[in-house]
Amino acid sequence: MAATTKTTGIGAALRRKEDLRLITGRGEFTDDFREAGQLYIYFLRSPHAHARIIKIDATEALALPGVKSVLTGKELLADGIKPLPHHVWALHPADIAMPNVDGSETFMAPHHAIAVDKARHVGEIVAMVVATSVALAKDAAELIHVEYDILPSVTNTWDTVKQDAAVVWDENGSNVCGDVETGSREDTNAAFAKAAHVARIETWVQRVTGVPMEPRAALAVFDEGTGRVTLTAGSGGSVRLKYDLAHMLGMKSEDVRIIMKDVGGNFGTRGMIYAEFCLVGWAARRLKTPVKWTAERSESFQSDYQARDLAVTAELALDKDGKFLAMRGSNIGNAGAHTSNFSPLQKGVEIMTSIYNIPTACFRARPVVSNTLPTRPYRSAGRPEVMFVMERLIDIAAREFGFDRVELRRKNLLHKEDLPFKNPFGMIYDNGDYHAVMEQVLELGDWTGFEARRAEAKARGKLRGIGVANYVDTATGVPRERAEITVRPDGQVDVIIGTISQGQGHETSFAQLATEFLHVPEDKVNIITGDTDVVKVGGGTHSGRGMRLASIVIWKASNEIIAKGKRIAALMAKADPAQVTFEKGHFHAAGQSLSLFDVARAASERNDLPDDLRAPLYAMSDETVNEAAFPYGAHVCEVEIDPALGTVEIARYSTVDDVGRAVNPMIIHGQTHGGIAQGVGQALMEEIVYDRQSGQLMTGSFMDYTMPRADNFPFFDAGFAEIPCTTHPLGIRPAGEGGTTPALGVTMNAVVDALRDFGVTHMDMPATPEKVWRAIHRKA
Amino acid sequence: MYDFSYHRPTSLQDAVSLLAKQPDAKPMSGGMSLLPSMKLRLSKWTDVVDLAAIPDLSGIREEAGHIIIGARTRHVEVATSALLHAKLPALAELAEGIGDPLVRNRGTIGGSIANADPAADYPSSVVALDATIITTRREIAADAFFTGLFETALAHDELITAVRYKIPKRAAYMKFRHPASRYAIVGAFVAQMEGAVRVAITGAGPHVFRIAAYEDALTKTFSSAALDGVTPKLPSLNTDLHASADYRAHAVVEMVRRAVKAAAARKSI
Ligand SMILES: Cc1cc2nc3c(=O)[nH]c(=O)nc-3n(C[C@H](O)[C@H](O)[C@H](O)COP(=O)(O)OP(=O)(O)OC[C@H]3O[C@@H](n4cnc5c(N)ncnc54)[C@H](O)[C@@H]3O)c2cc1C
């Protein structure tokens, strides 16, 4: 941890204000809300991976007393409910464009909230039952007779592009939705032709699921008088959900209200509107009764968006001294059954070369569909996958061609003088000191002392391995954010902000910003989010944009508050506004000292103020930030393997992430710890498995899907660097994803290093005990 | 959950007659296995007979050189029993390794044994310690109790009231946890009894089983070296996403080895 002694404002390691409320059961999650007379929804989901829906007969179900309605794709279309409004590519100006090589459009198909013609994955909704209790709705669902024509399915990513693969969308004729080439093929091939060495990898970054602690839920109320629909639900942000829900329901956006109080985890997979949210709203409007739906955990496994799932072949060309010359390859991103989101593919392929000085590169990128749950960006979308590829390639090259792993990185890592640097795909990295950060983490992880630890472990019969990985992360996301600040005469400051916390600690860290700029204690700052009747503009929490953008708008709004305050103070003290200063929460004017709240009170009590200074003392900042940020860092991981059973233990884990400026070091460490757990979880444990023949989901509960737990980890040695970001007015870099981005690669580098004496050069994730045991015992 | 009638009898007799009356009635002890399967609609019972109000079904005592544990004794009580820590620490350690604190605070030994989950921990102790299952009708020897996957020798209206364990000279339980569920991929219970060693394996097969070749070798010499060169004859083993049959077979050997080492390191009683 960087040494900081601040106890307030930016840099203070404050305990989170919200935690006492959350850990004592006083959070207000969606399921905590209820309405008198609410009905309950249960979704009948497809048991098949791919099946034509021939007929749905709900007669028996509707005959059960208490069953109010059974709705299917037929009613959905009849009522004009629109498909989910997916934007498949990230449209941020800093992200690269993804045009098809042949000039055709990216294939996109309508994603209806209820399957209308075919069910395309296990768990896809085929009917919605509304009844007076959940149990009754489930009973009714069992009485719905659905006639299916079961079709061949495809789930495995490599299989999707094969000639004889089952086709998910007949309209497209194949599963390939786009075929994009990035970088320069000519230059790259020329560089490869001259290369002394070429390192190769073929790997599949397996599919995982987000597993937020709070399963999704929704409660909708329709007000007949006003014609408004109010939806209480947790998502990545409330404002976007309002527009998306209004769009799907064919309503004006002002007729939709979203309420979102506490949200138990997002990680991106919860980032946008879900079919269920729209259906709950539709049912409330249609039946003119409040309706409620709460997912059970097993339902989450077959209805939450899933993530990762990238198949990669890649090559790295080196000269005889180990200088990287070029990189090329092909990425296939499995979007699942619907053309919902291809941005992880895009956000990965645009930084394949990471922060190494690689003059030229060329990659093919293909988004594909399959009979699996749709995928979405998940913590650091697309980057952990490609950082894994890059860092594995370096270790493969080092081993195969006899270079030292660290020296190879030192030789090729961009120097601070090289920055800003345009990578071969066109991304412009801002600033930083990549070498310094890597050296810092090597020191923290005691890289040089490792061989002694390896020997000591060996004496105990254990295989110890170490790995290092660098990373860069492109933070873009929705560019617009707004903050509204009101200084209340009663001594409180209200900050309305368009970005809601799903556990990131905004109530504390955003308050610290207001404290820094306005000099009022954190406990007097109220962060107000999560009701679209109050919050009009905001982009939500994703792509490292929460603090990055909130800090800008809170800062600018605070500056405006101070500017207004100076003018009021000048009037109060009969002083020249240009002479008024603001220090330690007080305006100093003509010998008088007036607090921020004195000024706010004057604004509400005096009748001699110009219109723009009348109460309340309020300011708004609404900004569109078109610059990307490039947080980066390096991790070192040390593992110990029990060769008898193949179990992998994380023995040591060190991180240095450049956060530019740490607003709350304790919260940053918390983000890093959670991020590491998610990354190591993917490297060693987590995997969504579909049966390759039937397309059945095999990991439908915690009995089979391995979640990382606290006892899987040691205490982390988390440090950070604070090299101010040159593209952010306050120097802040995102800090929420860095724990995850390099974790896949660094963990697998350590595992492969531990297994070096067994001829192991690569292993696909997750490195489960059986897989490791097979590698040691050379069993297929 | 499907609709069912809930009963809370206050005597074993009433409980048994409730069960006898209804073919789809089910006893409930801690509910830690029964309730999840009902909630997931994987099982459907017309009547649930809760055993919680029946007196004298729980407790751990020593009697005539045996340890007797009431059917409703919770895992936490076994894990923390001073008597067991003195006389049969392997059993206390086994209980400590079941699930999480919430499960240990409700789940019971009788429920676990009656459930006969192939990956449950307790069945290995019952077989390795040559225990006797005491029921409302009879006494059943451990070797005759577990008959198949989730199947036991119990009749529909027969309730376990207690388990009577022999006290071994030395014993140990070693569990190789399933990474996701944390049940046993392989659990090996090794007990050096008066006159013979017994080795029982849970998690690996359709139900708990013994390994005769290991028992013979260990009866001769109680040390892990005695296992060298002995090829155990194993039944057909389970395969799932996390462990194939051949990996399990290897883990059986390894876990027995570890259990023998742990037991051999103990003071003989
Ligand atoms: C999250 C979780 C983790 C777990 N992890 C483990 C683990 O690591 N290892 C492990 O071994 N177990 C594990 N379990 C199972 C747990 O130990 C259960 O408590 C146990 O299997 C059943 O005990 P119970 O008292 O809860 O029985 P119940 O659930 O009430 O009953 C189970 C079955 O036994 C029958 N039954 C109950 N009592 C009697 C009786 N006296 N006579 C006849 N039949 C009876 C019931 O009818 C039912 O069929 C876990 C459970 C959960 C929920």
Side-chain angles (χ1 to χ4, degrees), chain A residues 703, chain B residues 19 25-36 45 49 51 57 71-73 75 94 97-100 103-104 106-117 119-123 154-155 158-161 173 175 177 181-184:
Chain A
M703 293 295 280
Chain B
L19 292 167
K26 196 73 176 159
M28 179 173 91
S29 186
M32 291 292 95
S33 292
L34 183 67
L35 294 177
W45 307 105
V49 180
L51 308 179
L57 278 184
R72 284 219 8 96
T73 309
H75 307 332
L94 174 148
I98 296 175
D100 51 46
V103 169
R104 293 196 291 275
R106 287 206 62 89
T108 67
I109 187 168
S112 174
I113 290 168
N115 198 46
D117 188 317
D121 297 302
Y122 271 125
L154 290 172
E158 181 176 15
L159 291 169
I160 300 177
T161 57
Y173 178 64
K175 177 179 185 177
R177 285 163 181 272
S181 74
R182 306 226 169 167
Y183 276 69

Side-chain angles (χ1 to χ4, degrees), chain B residues 167-208:
Chain B
I167 299 176
K169 291 207 272 198
R170 295 183 282 192
Y173 178 64
M174 282 288 152
K175 177 179 185 177
F176 179 32
R177 285 163 181 272
H178 187 287
S181 74
R182 306 226 169 167
Y183 276 69
I185 282 184
V186 170
F189 205 115
V190 172
Q192 189 182 29
M193 313 297 288
E194 203 59 63
V197 171
R198 290 171 67 105
V199 176
I201 304 296
T202 191
H207 59 83
V208 58

Side-chain angles (χ1 to χ4, degrees), chain A residues 450-470:
Chain A
F450 173 72
E451 286 308 327
R453 294 192 292 281
R454 193 197 304 263
E456 184 275 335
K458 194 169 179 188
R460 283 184 284 114
K462 298 286 172 65
L463 308 169
R464 199 158 168 128
I466 195 168
V468 60
N470 292 296

Side-chain angles (χ1 to χ4, degrees), chain A residues 290-314:
Chain A
V291 292
K292 170 98 170 262
W293 165 73
T294 303
E296 294 177 7
R297 185 61 70 182
S298 40
E299 193 174 11
S300 303
F301 274 103
Q302 48 176 304
S303 67
D304 282 2
Y305 286 110
Q306 299 181 343
R308 310 278 190 240
D309 202 338
L310 185 78
V312 182
T313 51

Side-chain angles (χ1 to χ4, degrees), chain A residues 10 17-18 504-514 527 547 554 663-664 667:
Chain A
I10 292 181
K17 286 207 244 182
E18 48 269 69
Q504 297 91 339
H506 294 175
E507 278 173 58
T508 308
S509 59
F510 287 2
Q512 285 178 254
L513 298 171
I527 302 297
M547 177 56 75
I554 290 175
V663 174
N664 182 324
I667 289 181

